[in-house]
Amino acid sequence: MRVVALEEHFSHPALRDPELVARLREHPRMGHIEGALADVGEQRLADMDAAGIDVQVLSHTVPGAEGPDPERAVRAATEVNDALAATVAAHPSRFAGFATLPMQDPEQAAAELERAVRGLGLRGTMINGLTAGTFLDDPRFMPVLECAQDLDVPIYLHPALPPEPVAQAYYSGLQPEVGRVLAMAGWGWHAEAALHTLRLIVSGIFDRLPRLQLIIGHMGEMIPFALDRIDHVLTPLTPQLRQPIPEYFQTNIHITTSGYTAVAPLQCALSVLGVDRILFSVDYPYLHNQAARTLLDTAPLSSADREKIAHGNADRLLRL
């Protein structure tokens, strides 16, 4: 069975955060991550082979180009995307890529997305969380969203560190490491990404751009479990939308399995969204390939559905 993994991270010196690198090196369970992020060659391919993963769609890890000042961000995004395209060209049957964008300057970001897709052959973009505290439904980001629709490539919406006021209000007053993890993979990342996704729906972005495709990770960022409740309380308040809120998860939004290795969340997502909206991911190197592959191999799925999650849905969406 061919297997394509969509949320697989790397790092590049142009965007490497020294403070984050230092924290990773000191962390008792994450010390190996920094080296694995930097490697897009022999060891990464060996890890893929060991777990039977045929293709990784590479994207720059958090923090991406959303953080630096606009001038540096434009230079860094160009450098990172050029390097990513070279990596894909060196192993075209094993790697594809999502572009990094300088979102602080939406016009430049749209131009870079067009260059990355038309000129470099990348398959879309990954955008990490808020840009300067602002969600993607802000009108100033419309050039990027319009460009993605025009190019017929998806936006993968990934969480990022919370804005400082949110971090202070929600995650302070705890043992520092606990607070940091609670703000990120322990809870906060997923709550923010879910909120970001719902804002895009209720603000009417997908009505103005009906062909725009969004991918969210981590088994839908908790939305599948909550979608019935969301529908019950939000859909009646948004009669201006073209369809009920859950239906956007059939027309515009896909989810990936990144970071999850348990059957129950997958069963929930399948029950709520259906198999055609779910794509396999690992979240490498933050999660081991084999753990994610075990979920794919052992989940109670038909052969046809397993193939869809493993590669069929990704092949169709990204034209792999």
Side-chain angles (χ1 to χ4, degrees), residues 294-318:
T294 297
L295 172 65
L296 180 64
D297 289 340
T298 61
L301 297 163
S302 70
S303 295
D305 286 352
R306 203 179 313 277
E307 294 272 358
K308 285 183 177 183
I309 294 172
H311 70 92
N313 296 336
D315 290 343
R316 182 181 68 253
L317 180 61
L318 303 183

Side-chain angles (χ1 to χ4, degrees), residues 88-105:
V88 173
H91 303 281
S93 66
R94 307 304 305 275
F95 294 138
F98 286 134
T100 294
L101 300 181
M103 292 298 292
Q104 308 88 323
D105 187 334

Side-chain angles (χ1 to χ4, degrees), residues 222-246:
M222 306 187 294
I223 289 176
F225 182 84
L227 192 54
D228 181 70
R229 171 90 168 149
I230 291 165
D231 182 33
H232 180 73
V233 299
L234 271 184
T235 294
L237 300 178
T238 52
Q240 77 279 9
L241 297 180
R242 76 173 190 264
Q243 59 192 18
I245 287 171

Side-chain angles (χ1 to χ4, degrees), residues 128-179:
N128 297 306
L130 282 64
T131 300
T134 307
F135 291 92
L136 282 175
D137 57 87
D138 189 283
R140 71 191 184 102
F141 296 121
M142 189 58 70
V144 179
L145 307 184
E146 289 174 338
C147 184
Q149 175 175 262
D150 291 345
L151 293 168
D152 194 21
V153 296
I155 293 173
Y156 198 128
L157 182 59
H158 189 277
L161 294 173
E164 188 57 31
V166 175
Q168 283 298 317
Y170 284 11
Y171 307 113
S172 62
L174 301 167
Q175 191 273 330
E177 184 64 16
V178 172

Side-chain angles (χ1 to χ4, degrees), residues 24-59:
L24 286 173
R25 286 174 175 167
E26 293 171 1
H27 195 284
R29 292 186 296 106
M30 304 285 279
H32 70 287
I33 295 294
E34 197 271 329
L37 285 168
D39 174 68
V40 287
E42 183 177 340
Q43 186 57 55
R44 182 178 292 255
L45 290 167
D47 289 349
M48 293 166 61
D49 290 341
I53 292 174
D54 297 280
V55 179
Q56 280 191 350
V57 184
L58 302 173
S59 52

